[in-house]
Amino acid sequence: MSEHPRAGSRISHAFHSLRSPRRGALAVAAAVGLLAFGAGWAYTVQDDDPGAAVQARTGDRPGDGAAGRGGPRPAGTTDAAPADAARATRGTRGAPGAPGAPAAPGAPGTAAASPDADRGLPDVSDETRAKIPATARQLLLVTGKGTDSSESTATLYTRPSAAADWVKSSGSWPAHNGASGWNSGEREDGDLTTPVGVFTLSDAGGLLEKPPGTKFPYDHNRLFVPTGRGVNGESLAGAFEYVVAIDYNRRTGFSPLDLVKPEGEDKGGGIWLHVDHDGPSQGCIGIPKEAMQKLLGTLDPAAKPVIVMGPAGF
């Protein structure tokens, strides 16, 4: 979802071997060809398209990002919806970087392309990669189908060190983000967009008891119940059974239900990862229940987990 509709309150060679096929009298011509073009390998690497990303607002509320809308906010609840800023500028979809010129295998200074499609972060710009903290060892990548799309894909990655490749550590899950897509500019409370960027993950909670292996601080609270219905009129029942707060305009070290927005009410808040309700959110990211259970049993505060989210190429 996007911003909570108030939780219980408001959530890829051509081995162009320059096969310089040598043929007797053509040896000289072949040599010239080699000098001109270089006997090399032309290769293409195609990354898996992770798909799209997640979060929403209408009907997800303990905050402007949580599921489900309507109903008074119980004391101690918050708006749940991460955005990168808050006003009118909508994010634009960035085109994935063009592949570099082909180089001969083993050429000095040339990085060999990894044959492992499960390595690296597909559809993420160099600018966004630079924002990922060097201390982060766990990363949830949420990639949207487009700037205005509410459909996305969530994938968990890990790495042993800052210099290592990110490696997919689990399967990918379908996800939903804000009903109005993504916002890489100034976001406003209630605009039904999901903020684009890199955010830390630090606190969790839910209507159900914490799953085995959960390492995050976990607030088991009856207030994790959305009211109203989703953006498309769907039921929000169970959306807040498990929740991980996305650290957008919120205080870390507090329950996801915390209402304080350090950067002001206008930017919205209450942007969460929560159980998908089969529809767009007000700003939050919705993923299947089993995915939430997997994350809660895997994410470790000691690994400094982050969520990297936005439209493909952001």
Side-chain angles (χ1 to χ4, degrees), residues 123-137:
D123 289 331
V124 175
S125 69
D126 289 342
E127 182 179 0
T128 296
R129 293 170 194 272
K131 296 177 182 178
I132 301 172
T135 55
R137 300 291 178 268

Side-chain angles (χ1 to χ4, degrees), residues 160-189:
S161 69
D165 282 343
W166 286 102
V167 180
K168 187 185 295 185
S169 67
S170 67
S172 295
W173 306 289
H176 280 101
N177 51 277
S180 294
W182 300 90
N183 194 323
S184 63
E186 293 191 354
R187 181 177 182 278
E188 294 182 327
D189 180 20

Side-chain angles (χ1 to χ4, degrees), residues 43 98-103 110:
Y43 58 84
T110 301

Side-chain angles (χ1 to χ4, degrees), residues 74-194:
T77 59
T78 48
D79 288 345
D84 263 345
R87 234 346 107 209
T89 306
R90 291 295 304 280
T92 57
R93 179 176 180 173
T110 301
S114 171
D116 188 348
D118 287 341
R119 291 178 176 273
L121 301 177
D123 289 331
V124 175
S125 69
D126 289 342
E127 182 179 0
T128 296
R129 293 170 194 272
K131 296 177 182 178
I132 301 172
T135 55
R137 300 291 178 268
Q138 292 179 324
L139 181 154
L140 182 66
L141 176 63
V142 178
T143 313
K145 289 184 176 180
T147 301
D148 298 323
S149 175
S150 62
E151 297 181 12
S152 52
T153 296
T155 308
L156 184 63
Y157 289 82
T158 62
R159 67 179 178 182
S161 69
D165 282 343
W166 286 102
V167 180
K168 187 185 295 185
S169 67
S170 67
S172 295
W173 306 289
H176 280 101
N177 51 277
S180 294
W182 300 90
N183 194 323
S184 63
E186 293 191 354
R187 181 177 182 278
E188 294 182 327
D189 180 20
D191 66 9
L192 303 186
T193 65
T194 295

Side-chain angles (χ1 to χ4, degrees), residues 262-287:
E263 298 176 58
E265 295 287 333
D266 289 347
K267 295 186 67 171
I271 303 301
W272 299 346
L273 268 169
H274 58 64
V275 178
D276 188 35
H277 49 81
D278 296 324
S281 73
Q282 294 185 39
C284 297
I285 301 296
I287 60 178

